[in-house]
Amino acid sequence: MRQFRSEYGLLIAIVAVLAVTTIFNSAYLTKPGQNAAEILRQTSLLGIFALGAAIVIISGGIDLSSGAVIAFSGSICAEIFLALSPLDVRGSPDPSQLGAGVILAGITGALVVGFLIGTLHAWLITAIGLPPFVATLASLVGLRSLAKVLNQTVTAALGSQSIKIYVYDKDFTRLGGLGDLYGIEVFGIELGAWLIPCSIFLLLSLGFWFLMNRTVVGRHLYAMGGNEQAARLSGIRTERLKWLAYCIGAMTASLAGVLYTAEVGSADPLTIGRGYELNAIAAAVVGGCGLQGGIGLIPGVMLGVLFLRVVIDSVAKLVGSGADDYEGIIVGFLVVLAVAFNELRQTSRGGKKFFPGALGYVAIVALALLAGSVGLVMSGGVAGAVAGVVSVIVLGAVKFIESRRGP
């Protein structure tokens, strides 16, 4: 039971968020099936590359390139479609009638690109000696620009230069989870295409759970994340494990890039996947993965992704228009909260103080102002004042209790 304490906490938190949202908004009651399908679809799209990010974190690394890999692999997939698609009456590529073979070739090409990017990251980290932060930061900065240039080059060669590549094929766009599922019905209920990304997410979760919990490779990944030097001295081939971890991270991001391209029907490196690397890391951390490595469970990551999407969806329901502006605030707040909670749980017996001395007083003021600002922009001046005062009282109480413990 204690092993899954974080997972039970996440389940309770998900139910609590849904309950609070239902009290102030009736959308979950009037359209329960539609809302559930949309949350599960968005959870699956995010969860696919969050699983890869989690394995990198468990192995002791970090991958900041997920968003850029999504944009780059989606562009590669669309470029392969243009190169292999049949020609229309004007002699131009027709991306509305691709066929199964062309779609499979595009997806395979994107996954191969993900494998090569993961290999490059592992090489930079193990052979060259770059820190994971620097190696993947270079991809974060460079891949999106490279995708933009490649899209312009490919489309110019085909007669119409453009950064964005459109893909209209209905079989491909279904992979994004929108629309029907070829008219298939079960007990008179028509199934939606949202089941496709959900099925992919569940299959990947099952496969990664088996890898991490039932294989020697999984135990070695945990051991390397916990103490790389000890793992190396024990005879574990840490270089190969890092190669595996970073390839999994990049290939899951590539798969997500294909699905996001299918969702919007186009590959646009300027917008697709922007900021998603933070979402992937946030979902893994909220799901119980420790940034120091060696800690984390696949079921926890699945619940972390679901919790993140439920919170974002809840804010969208409560705020209405302009809710996207709050997504960055929510993700950032949840990351800090999850890391602080894990740190508090691990060090509570050591007498660690979170608000020591004068630094603690200033931090309390800063946190109260932050909480008040969030309350102000979301619900007005009264809510902002209440949030600020409550924060001062709660955090001040924590500091008082800490001061009673002595130095």
Side-chain angles (χ1 to χ4, degrees):
M1 292 287 288
R2 295 186 61 182
Q3 181 183 3
F4 299 102
R5 189 166 51 185
S6 298
E7 285 72 21
Y8 292 135
L10 279 173
L11 277 175
I12 295 172
I14 292 169
V15 173
V17 172
L18 290 174
V20 171
T21 306
T22 303
I23 292 173
F24 295 98
N25 189 292
S26 61
Y28 287 148
L29 297 177
T30 55
K31 299 178 181 178
Q34 181 179 341
N35 280 287
E38 181 58 19
I39 289 176
L40 291 175
R41 187 182 73 84
Q42 292 286 352
T43 298
S44 301
L45 291 173
L46 169 60
I48 286 170
F49 63 98
L51 288 170
I55 289 180
V56 173
I57 291 173
I58 291 172
S59 71
I62 192 74
D63 189 349
L64 301 178
S65 67
S66 300
V69 174
I70 287 173
F72 186 75
S73 58
S75 296
I76 294 295
C77 179
E79 290 163 7
I80 292 174
F81 288 164
L82 278 188
L84 300 180
S85 62
L87 302 180
D88 58 16
V89 293
R90 296 175 299 178
S92 300
D94 181 9
S96 63
Q97 302 291 333
L98 295 176
V102 175
I103 293 175
L104 185 60
I107 296 173
T108 303
L111 292 177
V112 170
V113 165
F115 173 75
L116 295 176
I117 293 173
T119 300
L120 182 61
H121 288 160
W123 175 73
L124 289 172
I125 293 167
T126 59
I128 305 301
L130 293 182
F133 177 87
V134 176
T136 56
L137 182 63
S139 297
L140 168 66
V141 176
L143 284 179
R144 197 176 293 275
S145 296
L146 181 57
K148 176 183 173 182
V149 174
L150 285 176
N151 279 5
Q152 289 177 320
T153 302
V154 170
T155 53
L158 296 173
S160 177
Q161 183 173 352
S162 174
I163 295 175
K164 184 185 292 186
I165 299 177
Y166 292 95
V167 183
Y168 306 112
D169 187 273
K170 290 184 177 179
D171 291 330
F172 176 67
T173 54
R174 279 192 178 91
L175 294 178
L178 298 177
D180 67 285
L181 191 61
Y182 299 101
I184 299 175
E185 295 184 355
V186 175
F187 302 114
I189 301 175
E190 186 173 319
L191 300 181
W194 60 273
L195 288 170
I196 295 176
C198 286
S199 301
I200 295 173
F201 176 49
L202 291 177
L203 287 174
L204 283 177
S205 299
L206 181 62
F208 289 146
W209 173 85
F210 185 83
L211 171 70
M212 300 303 291
N213 294 83
R214 291 292 184 271
T215 68
V216 175
V217 172
R219 289 195 290 273
H220 286 178
L221 284 169
Y222 276 109
M224 182 177 70
N227 190 326
E228 182 179 346
Q229 183 68 13
R232 186 183 295 112
L233 293 175
S234 300
I236 296 175
R237 303 286 295 273
T238 56
E239 292 82 5
R240 291 188 178 185
L241 289 176
K242 288 183 180 179
W243 187 15
L244 173 67
Y246 281 96
C247 283
I248 289 175
M251 291 181 74
T252 51
S254 292
L255 180 57
V258 172
L259 300 182
Y260 278 116
T261 301
E263 179 190 29
V264 298
S266 64
D268 184 359
L270 296 181
T271 59
I272 189 170
R274 187 170 290 279
Y276 284 13
E277 57 278 348
L278 177 59
N279 289 4
I281 296 171
V285 171
V286 172
C289 293
L291 288 176
Q292 70 275 22
I295 301 174
L297 298 172
I298 296 302
V301 177
M302 296 173 69
L303 289 173
V305 176
L306 179 59
F307 175 70
L308 197 61
R309 285 309 314 177
V310 166
V311 171
I312 293 174
D313 187 72
S314 172
V315 172
K317 293 283 188 301
L318 297 176
V319 176
S321 61
D324 291 345
D325 297 337
Y326 300 103
E327 185 169 332
I329 300 174
I330 296 168
V331 174
F333 174 75
L334 290 178
V335 169
V336 173
L337 186 65
V339 174
F341 178 76
N342 288 333
E343 190 71 15
L344 178 64
R345 189 176 60 182
Q346 294 172 15
T347 60
S348 58
R349 295 180 180 178
K352 181 176 181 178
K353 293 184 177 180
F354 285 85
F355 301 105
L359 175 64
Y361 287 112
V362 178
I364 288 174
V365 173
L367 290 171
L369 288 174
L370 177 61
S373 300
V374 174
L376 173 66
V377 298
M378 292 187 67
S379 302
V382 176
V386 171
V389 171
V390 170
S391 298
V392 168
I393 294 173
V394 172
L395 298 178
V398 173
K399 179 167 178 56
F400 176 75
I401 294 172
E402 288 181 349
S403 64
R404 299 281 291 179
R405 293 207 307 258

